[in-house]
Amino acid sequence: MILAIILLILIVLILAIIILFSFYIFLPSLNADNLENDPIISDIEKDFSVKEETERELTNKKAIVLCSCGKTFTHDKSIYNEAYTCFMVKNMSGSGTDCKYACIGLGDCVKACSQNAIIIKNDTAVITNNCCGCGKCAEVCPQKLIKLVAKDTKTYVLCKNTDINSFTTCSNKQKEEKVEWIEKKDFKIWSYCYKIFNTVNKLFK
């Protein structure tokens, strides 16, 4: 009897977790049509959601960083304090490398990205396939290294340094590289679940 009660409680808890997960993870991600009759969301927030979603759909673009994560050069690691931001370093000592155009890599863009679409690799921002092309990262980059390009872009010169007189030991200066929005593994399963949920939701509209 006690075992049956414990089992029942566990089942109820699991169902509750699934329901809460659905309501707090998936439902907020639904399109703006589902917000019309929501008494909690104001008209201003609805208008903003519709505008933002429309802009994202129409851009058909993704962000790239004009700096290669495969670069190697002289690095001043003393500036990479966890409390610092790219903006702070830019104002104090440029990029912290012997290339004044390089990505600083302290993650101002990571914090600005609502899609969790940016990771830092080799002190360089790297865009993942979670990118929706909203451009928020480009707005906060003090180096102005982030650019929106068409999703079908195959190759690009991932370097902003076109100054022939600027000294740098960078190994990837002005090299054309294959553009790849890498798979962010920890979000892969949630992306897959969202696609399934969104498909089912459209079928029952």
Side-chain angles (χ1 to χ4, degrees), residues 30-37 50 205:
L30 294 179
N31 57 46
D33 292 338
N34 294 338
L35 300 176
E36 290 181 1
N37 300 318
V50 172
K205 274 187 176 182

Side-chain angles (χ1 to χ4, degrees), residues 14-15 19 21 23 28 36-37 44 51 63 66 95 101 111 116 127-128 133 144 146 148 170 176 183 191 194 205:
I14 291 171
L15 288 173
I19 292 170
F21 180 80
F23 274 90
E36 290 181 1
N37 300 318
I44 295 175
K51 181 181 178 183
L66 300 180
S95 69
Y101 301 95
K111 295 166 190 169
N116 296 305
I127 311 297
T128 72
K144 304 302 177 187
I146 303 177
L148 295 180
C170 181
E176 186 175 76
E183 186 79 37
S191 175
Y194 173 75
K205 274 187 176 182

Side-chain angles (χ1 to χ4, degrees), residues 67-70 154-158 172 175-179:
C67 190
S68 173
C69 64
K154 303 299 181 186
T155 59
Y156 211 89
V157 176
L158 299 184
N172 284 59
K175 281 188 179 179
E176 186 175 76
E177 299 184 41
K178 185 178 178 181
V179 175

Side-chain angles (χ1 to χ4, degrees), residues 69-85:
C69 64
K71 66 185 184 294
T72 58
F73 48 28
T74 306
H75 226 146
D76 179 12
K77 285 292 186 180
S78 65
I79 68 163
Y80 285 82
N81 184 305
E82 290 183 359
Y84 291 173
T85 64

Side-chain angles (χ1 to χ4, degrees), residues 22 76 89 97 101 151 154 157 172 197 202:
S22 298
D76 179 12
V89 171
T97 73
Y101 301 95
K151 288 180 179 179
K154 303 299 181 186
V157 176
N172 284 59
F197 184 83
K202 287 177 181 178

Side-chain angles (χ1 to χ4, degrees), residues 49 60 71 75 81 86 106 113 156 169 176 186:
S49 298
N60 197 32
K71 66 185 184 294
H75 226 146
N81 184 305
C86 298
L106 288 172
C113 181
Y156 211 89
T169 60
E176 186 175 76
D186 51 337

Side-chain angles (χ1 to χ4, degrees), residues 4-205:
I5 293 173
I6 293 173
L7 187 60
L8 180 62
I9 292 172
L10 285 174
I11 293 172
V12 171
L13 284 172
I14 291 171
L15 288 173
I17 290 170
I18 292 172
I19 292 170
L20 287 172
F21 180 80
S22 298
F23 274 90
Y24 287 97
I25 299 297
F26 287 125
L27 291 184
S29 301
L30 294 179
N31 57 46
D33 292 338
N34 294 338
L35 300 176
E36 290 181 1
N37 300 318
D38 195 326
I40 298 175
I41 302 176
S42 68
D43 291 336
I44 295 175
E45 289 173 314
K46 290 174 186 176
D47 291 341
F48 177 79
S49 298
V50 172
K51 181 181 178 183
E52 185 177 42
E53 188 64 32
T54 302
E55 286 176 349
R56 287 182 181 181
E57 289 175 358
L58 293 177
T59 59
N60 197 32
K61 293 183 177 181
K62 284 195 174 185
I64 59 169
V65 180
L66 300 180
C67 190
S68 173
C69 64
K71 66 185 184 294
T72 58
F73 48 28
T74 306
H75 226 146
D76 179 12
K77 285 292 186 180
S78 65
I79 68 163
Y80 285 82
N81 184 305
E82 290 183 359
Y84 291 173
T85 64
C86 298
F87 183 78
M88 289 170 61
V89 171
K90 172 73 173 177
N91 289 330
M92 289 188 304
S93 59
S95 69
T97 73
D98 64 15
C99 175
K100 64 182 180 181
Y101 301 95
C103 177
I104 297 169
L106 288 172
D108 290 16
C109 53
V110 175
K111 295 166 190 169
C113 181
S114 57
Q115 296 294 111
N116 296 305
I118 307 175
I119 61 173
I120 301 297
K121 185 177 179 182
N122 189 28
D123 298 320
T124 308
V126 178
I127 311 297
T128 72
N129 62 355
N130 287 347
C131 178
C132 67
C134 69
K136 291 178 182 177
C137 52
E139 294 171 6
V140 300
C141 177
Q143 293 285 71
K144 304 302 177 187
L145 289 173
I146 303 177
K147 181 176 182 178
L148 295 180
V149 298
K151 288 180 179 179
D152 59 358
T153 301
K154 303 299 181 186
T155 59
Y156 211 89
V157 176
L158 299 184
C159 179
K160 193 183 176 185
N161 184 4
T162 56
D163 185 358
I164 60 173
N165 298 315
S166 176
F167 173 77
T168 175
T169 60
C170 181
S171 60
N172 284 59
K173 182 180 177 181
Q174 282 297 296
K175 281 188 179 179
E176 186 175 76
E177 299 184 41
K178 185 178 178 181
V179 175
E180 291 182 299
W181 289 281
I182 65 171
E183 186 79 37
K184 192 170 183 185
K185 295 179 181 179
D186 51 337
F187 277 88
K188 187 175 181 180
I189 187 170
W190 304 125
S191 175
Y192 182 69
C193 290
Y194 173 75
K195 287 177 183 176
I196 294 174
F197 184 83
N198 210 27
T199 301
V200 173
N201 180 61
K202 287 177 181 178
L203 289 174
F204 289 95
K205 274 187 176 182

